[in-house]
Amino acid sequence: MASLSFHVPDLTLVGQCHDRYVPEVSVRLLLTSGGVTNPSIRDALVDLLGKPTAEATALCIPTAQWGHPMCGPVSARGFVSGVLPWGGMTSMEWKSLGLLELSALPTIGAERWVSWVREADVLLVDGGDATYLCHWMRESRLADLLPSLTDTVWVGVSAGSMVMTPRIGTDFVEWPSAPDDRTLGVVDFSIFPHLDGFPQNTLAEAMRWATGIGGPAYAMDDETAIKVVDGSVEVVSEGHWKLLDS
């Protein structure tokens, strides 16, 4: 990977394409803070799919919710069934929409579920705790499958995006059994989500958090997403974001 100098973009920039790359990832990534929340992010999703969402098959993955104390049966059902405020992505028009619970996969055998994943155009991965999601991605072997998913789009929300990063920082670890804050490291940057969405998610707090991450990181609000294709990183935003160097 080429050595690159990182610049700090203005918070008002929209759709900024960076001159930076990550190690090539087969699965195409749309890493969001709050989901598909505006036309720019929706357009980015359609571009990644190569067709309208109404022609795409989707699987939704609620697994991360079980690891976070603020989530539970109501929010998990809301995500799966497209009930707002949890089910913004699942309420979109899809050709078909199915459920994939990662914690169940080790008990049923890869011969059943791998074909479900390969046949899906897009994986809609909800938030919760990223370390819990990371655990079940490894236990289920979905993480091992990612390099071969060349025709698949991964759309993450919050922890569903953060799981692709190297570290999330201890501030975002809520699962008591997490060994540390490390996640999959599919990309080489970290994510501070929900910028200004909660009282504690301020830019000043993001800058403090970034000092302990040990690498580049994006602070981003719920109107922002990061698109990763063939190693190229592009920010798609109608809101506020900042690239932070630790």
Side-chain angles (χ1 to χ4, degrees), residues 30-118:
L30 188 62
L31 306 178
T32 81
S33 174
V36 183
T37 53
N38 58 55
S40 295
I41 298 177
R42 180 183 285 268
D43 289 347
L45 173 56
V46 171
D47 180 62
L48 288 171
L49 289 169
K51 56 187 171 184
T53 60
E55 298 175 11
T57 58
L59 290 177
C60 67
I61 300 176
T63 306
Q65 288 212 29
W66 305 119
H68 199 290
M70 292 180 65
C71 302
V74 174
S75 60
R77 178 186 179 277
F79 170 66
V80 171
S81 58
V83 175
L84 297 177
W86 307 284
M89 293 197 303
T90 51
S91 65
M92 296 169 62
E93 186 178 6
W94 300 102
K95 181 179 180 180
S96 69
L97 175 66
L99 166 66
L100 190 71
E101 174 48 58
L102 303 189
S103 61
L105 301 188
T107 67
I108 65 173
E111 65 276 5
R112 288 193 65 197
W113 67 264
V114 168
S115 63
W116 302 341
V117 173
R118 291 197 184 280

Side-chain angles (χ1 to χ4, degrees), residues 48-225:
L48 288 171
L49 289 169
K51 56 187 171 184
T53 60
E55 298 175 11
T57 58
L59 290 177
C60 67
I61 300 176
T63 306
Q65 288 212 29
W66 305 119
H68 199 290
M70 292 180 65
C71 302
V74 174
S75 60
R77 178 186 179 277
F79 170 66
V80 171
S81 58
V83 175
L84 297 177
W86 307 284
M89 293 197 303
T90 51
S91 65
M92 296 169 62
E93 186 178 6
W94 300 102
K95 181 179 180 180
S96 69
L97 175 66
L99 166 66
L100 190 71
E101 174 48 58
L102 303 189
S103 61
L105 301 188
T107 67
I108 65 173
E111 65 276 5
R112 288 193 65 197
W113 67 264
V114 168
S115 63
W116 302 341
V117 173
R118 291 197 184 280
E119 290 166 6
D121 295 308
V122 58
L123 304 177
L124 309 175
V125 189
D126 202 22
D129 188 279
T131 60
Y132 185 81
L133 177 59
C134 180
H135 170 80
W136 283 110
M137 286 185 68
R138 288 179 171 142
E139 286 293 306
S140 68
R141 307 299 296 272
L142 177 60
D144 296 337
L145 194 63
L146 292 180
S148 68
L149 299 180
T150 55
D151 297 321
T152 307
V153 179
W154 176 285
V155 184
V157 176
S158 191
S161 299
M162 297 167 77
V163 73
M164 292 296 183
T165 71
R167 295 179 58 198
I168 64 171
T170 57
D171 293 10
F172 290 108
V173 177
E174 296 286 353
W175 182 39
S177 298
D180 49 45
D181 73 325
R182 289 178 294 179
T183 38
L184 294 177
V186 173
V187 298
D188 69 349
F189 56 83
S190 295
I191 294 173
F192 183 99
H194 312 303
L195 180 63
D196 295 327
F198 299 100
Q200 68 272 25
N201 286 42
T202 63
L203 181 57
E205 184 64 17
M207 294 175 72
R208 181 203 61 77
W209 163 87
T211 62
I213 287 297
Y218 290 88
M220 50 195 271
D221 71 359
D222 285 0
E223 299 295 324
T224 300

Side-chain angles (χ1 to χ4, degrees), residues 9-25:
D10 188 281
L11 285 173
T12 61
L13 292 180
V14 175
Q16 175 79 29
C17 185
H18 290 185
D19 292 328
R20 42 179 316 260
Y21 293 84
V22 298
E24 189 167 328
V25 182

